[in-house]
Amino acid sequence: MSVALGITRPLPVRTTSVGDPGDLLQSLPKTAPYAWIRHGQGLVGWGEAARVAVPPGPGRFAWAREWLTDVFGHADVRDDVGTPGTGPVAFGTFTFDEDSPGSVLVVPQAVLARRDGHAWLTTIGDAPLERFSPIRTPGRISYGDGSLTAPEWETIVARAAQRIRDGELEKVVLARDLLATAERAIDIRLLLGRLATRYPDCYTFSVAGMVGATPELLIRRTGQEIESLVLAGTTPRGTSPSDDLSRGAALLASAKDRHEHECAIASVRDTLAPLCSALQTPDEPELLVLPNVQHLASHVSGRLADGASVLDVVAAMHPTAAVGGTPTDTAIDVIRELEGMDRAGYAGPVGWIDAHGDGEWGIALRSAQISGRRARLFAGGGIMSTSDPALELAEAQAKFRVMQYALEGP
């Protein structure tokens, strides 16, 4: 695939230091907000200096890299800060399935950021000075079945577990959707504020209508250093402190969840090893405790061998076993056959990249696709040979509560 961008003159890009901007999300105008925030740090953006719908297919990441090279190559950059995330930045969301349309890259006209002790504003050309408008709640929210009813989804979980017992594959991750309709248009800024406040350990994101708070960092590249956080194995939070501790201990001891996690770590290790001169993976997972669930988590770090950009690493890693299954190709076939829906951007890569190839990309979990008054919520879980359909349904419902809280509030 060839890329025809159509930019014929340099894009004037200016990055300047600014004072502490306070709550970054409070700076966003209503229209087309872009965000990547964790613990109050990250980037927000608005306006569009360049935007593209990435064509589906196995070459989509290569096409995206070529498009970004063209866009960034037409930038006349004056950068007074010089840290990852300065200069021109693209936000992106890619669909889970390479054959599905809907992947988008956007270079905002304005980016306000705070990271690693620095705060800055990047503008491209005459960036829009949009006035902040009051945030309005969406009113009453009503819900309806997505692609499958709850009993239908339990049936496909049972079918998937049987195919694993039959030796067809080791693990498959199955997702389901839930449709929400609001009285009024949904203000994405309201969702972002609620998510960032309630889930500060997660990465709160907004790109092209895909909004959520993901606990899973697919990859961070800073120079040649990379980091990843692998999550696989989940249990709901307890109803009391003692119940919570008991659930966490049971998760750490669960043969089913430990095997699921081992599949995910092996997938990441096998993918990253050829790209890295050094790679460290832990021997044992730890618990990541979030307000709604607990996860088995492993931190992975390494050093790239050949200067690959963060998007190159994303292309190599997606889909991981944590959101697809093991072996990957077989799991994807089973997902396409059984799941009964197009995941769109759910469980796909979402994040940002700068002109130096640095950036942060997560897996779009705990998320929803927002359009006007409607939201399509997503949740899923890893299915193993011993999976209980009722328990898997309860896990998915617990994960839905993240975006239900964002829509409804406390």
Side-chain angles (χ1 to χ4, degrees):
M1 291 183 290
S2 62
V3 178
L5 182 62
I7 293 178
T8 58
R9 59 183 179 83
L11 295 172
V13 181
R14 301 292 178 262
T15 297
T16 56
S17 294
V18 298
D20 187 350
D23 186 347
L24 292 169
L25 295 172
Q26 290 297 319
S27 301
L28 283 170
K30 185 175 182 179
T31 56
Y34 303 96
W36 180 267
I37 298 292
R38 182 174 184 266
H39 288 307
Q41 294 200 90
L43 300 83
V44 298
W46 58 92
E48 293 180 2
R51 179 189 179 108
V52 71
V54 180
R60 61 182 180 154
F61 288 107
W63 192 98
R65 288 193 298 270
E66 187 178 346
W67 185 85
L68 287 168
T69 298
D70 200 351
V71 171
F72 293 151
H74 282 83
D76 175 17
V77 181
R78 190 181 73 203
D79 184 353
D80 298 334
V81 181
T83 193
T86 60
V89 168
F91 286 79
T93 172
F94 286 83
T95 57
F96 171 80
D97 193 320
E98 65 181 21
D99 292 333
S100 296
S103 300
V104 176
L105 287 170
V106 180
V107 179
Q109 282 187 281
V111 172
L112 181 64
R114 178 176 51 229
R115 294 183 74 244
D116 303 326
H118 301 281
W120 65 88
L121 174 67
T122 298
T123 58
I124 299 180
D126 297 323
L129 299 175
E130 301 190 42
R131 299 180 67 181
F132 182 87
S133 57
I135 295 176
R136 190 181 187 192
T137 62
R140 189 175 63 86
I141 307 293
S142 59
Y143 295 96
D145 286 329
S147 304
L148 297 174
T149 65
E152 288 171 338
W153 195 74
E154 287 182 299
T155 297
I156 70 165
V157 169
R159 290 172 60 191
Q162 183 60 55
R163 291 171 72 160
I164 294 170
R165 289 193 292 272
D166 290 343
E168 185 176 343
L169 70 169
E170 283 189 74
K171 168 191 172 182
V172 63
V173 180
L174 293 179
R176 63 185 302 248
D177 59 347
L178 179 68
L179 303 181
T181 303
E183 287 184 271
R184 296 182 289 274
I186 298 167
D187 191 329
I188 287 174
R189 298 172 302 169
L190 177 69
L191 310 187
L192 294 174
R194 286 173 173 171
L195 291 170
T197 299
R198 189 173 178 102
Y199 302 95
D201 290 321
C202 294
Y203 297 86
T204 298
F205 62 86
S206 170
V207 183
M210 198 68 194
V211 179
T214 179
E216 190 146 357
L217 178 68
L218 181 62
I219 196 72
R220 175 189 294 119
R221 177 191 186 269
T222 306
Q224 297 302 102
E225 304 300 321
I226 59 170
E227 301 172 66
S228 181
L229 177 63
V230 180
L231 305 180
T234 306
T235 189
R237 292 294 302 270
T239 57
S240 66
S242 60
D243 184 34
D244 212 34
L245 287 172
S246 176
R247 287 173 182 263
L251 181 62
L252 284 167
S254 166
K256 178 259 186 190
D257 290 289
R258 289 294 288 260
H259 181 53
E260 180 184 347
H261 193 81
E262 288 165 6
C263 288
I265 282 289
S267 168
V268 170
R269 184 189 303 116
D270 293 346
T271 300
L272 289 180
L275 300 175
C276 293
S277 59
L279 185 66
Q280 295 82 41
T281 58
D283 294 329
E284 295 286 329
E286 60 188 50
L287 282 178
L288 175 64
V289 181
L290 299 174
N292 60 322
V293 293
Q294 301 183 62
H295 294 292
L296 293 181
S298 291
H299 294 266
V300 177
S301 61
R303 183 172 180 82
L304 292 173
D306 61 355
S309 79
V310 69
L311 199 58
D312 294 320
V313 185
V314 169
M317 293 183 71
H318 179 74
T320 67
V323 293
T326 306
T328 300
D329 290 344
T330 303
I332 297 301
D333 287 341
V334 171
I335 289 169
R336 287 170 174 164
E337 178 187 344
L338 294 184
E339 208 167 69
M341 70 174 190
D342 183 347
R343 291 186 179 185
Y346 172 72
V350 62
W352 63 270
I353 178 173
D354 67 16
H356 299 290
D358 289 325
E360 295 175 300
W361 289 76
I363 299 175
L365 306 175
R366 317 297 191 273
S367 57
Q369 186 71 47
I370 309 298
S371 179
R373 296 190 302 116
R374 292 177 173 81
R376 185 181 177 211
L377 284 61
F378 300 92
I383 310 305
M384 307 295 289
S385 62
T386 58
S387 288
D388 181 318
L391 293 179
E392 296 297 339
L393 179 64
E395 178 182 320
Q397 289 171 330
K399 292 172 179 176
F400 274 139
R401 293 192 191 109
V402 174
M403 290 309 299
Q404 288 177 310
Y405 167 82
L407 288 166
E408 299 170 9

